[in-house]
Amino acid sequence: MELKISSQSHADHAVVTVRGEVDLYTAPQLHSALVDALDDGAHRLVVEMSGVEFCDSTGMNVLLSAMKRSREQGGDLVLAAPRPAVTKILEVTGLDGVFTVTDSTDLPDQAPTTAP
């Protein structure tokens, strides 16, 4: 299956939408898209994964690498709306505790807000 990636830049972040399967053969394409988004000035990345049907260890390593690079630039990487198969991989590998995972592409606040 082919991998389709699109990116949309915002003020300080980019939403990278991924569709298809992320594996040994397609991971370099994802890596390039994430690096390009960071090089274009995004500090925070939202990787919208609702269309990702499969992601192997190579894909997870690409996401980890992009998260590290983003954090080195004072930002972060958020995985948005992963399908159950991807969520399962995150849970089994313990990466659900490493990545910020959300149900939507809305970027979570950097610091929690409290009501007065």
Side-chain angles (χ1 to χ4, degrees):
M1 173 173 245
E2 156 180 15
L3 186 68
K4 295 180 183 174
I5 302 171
S6 62
S7 183
Q8 189 174 31
S9 294
H10 299 276
D12 67 339
H13 71 280
V15 177
V16 179
T17 303
V18 186
R19 302 271 182 263
E21 295 183 359
V22 183
D23 57 23
L24 178 65
Y25 301 104
T26 61
Q29 187 181 348
L30 176 59
H31 174 77
S32 292
L34 295 174
V35 167
D36 287 349
L38 289 168
D39 287 348
D40 287 345
H43 295 290
R44 300 177 77 196
L45 296 176
V46 177
V47 183
E48 200 279 318
M49 301 187 72
S50 66
V52 175
E53 298 167 15
F54 174 79
C55 184
D56 71 3
S57 61
T58 309
M60 289 296 162
N61 283 330
V62 165
L63 293 170
L64 283 167
S65 174
M67 180 181 67
K68 180 181 177 201
R69 188 170 178 167
S70 179
R71 287 182 177 174
E72 287 171 351
Q73 297 177 1
D76 203 0
L77 181 141
V78 175
L79 302 180
R83 287 186 174 189
V86 175
T87 301
K88 179 85 168 168
I89 293 168
L90 291 168
E91 291 169 353
V92 168
T93 59
L95 292 174
D96 59 332
V98 175
F99 288 108
T100 301
V101 182
T102 66
D103 291 335
S104 74
T105 57
D106 294 335
L107 197 61
D109 294 331
Q110 284 203 281
T113 56
T114 55

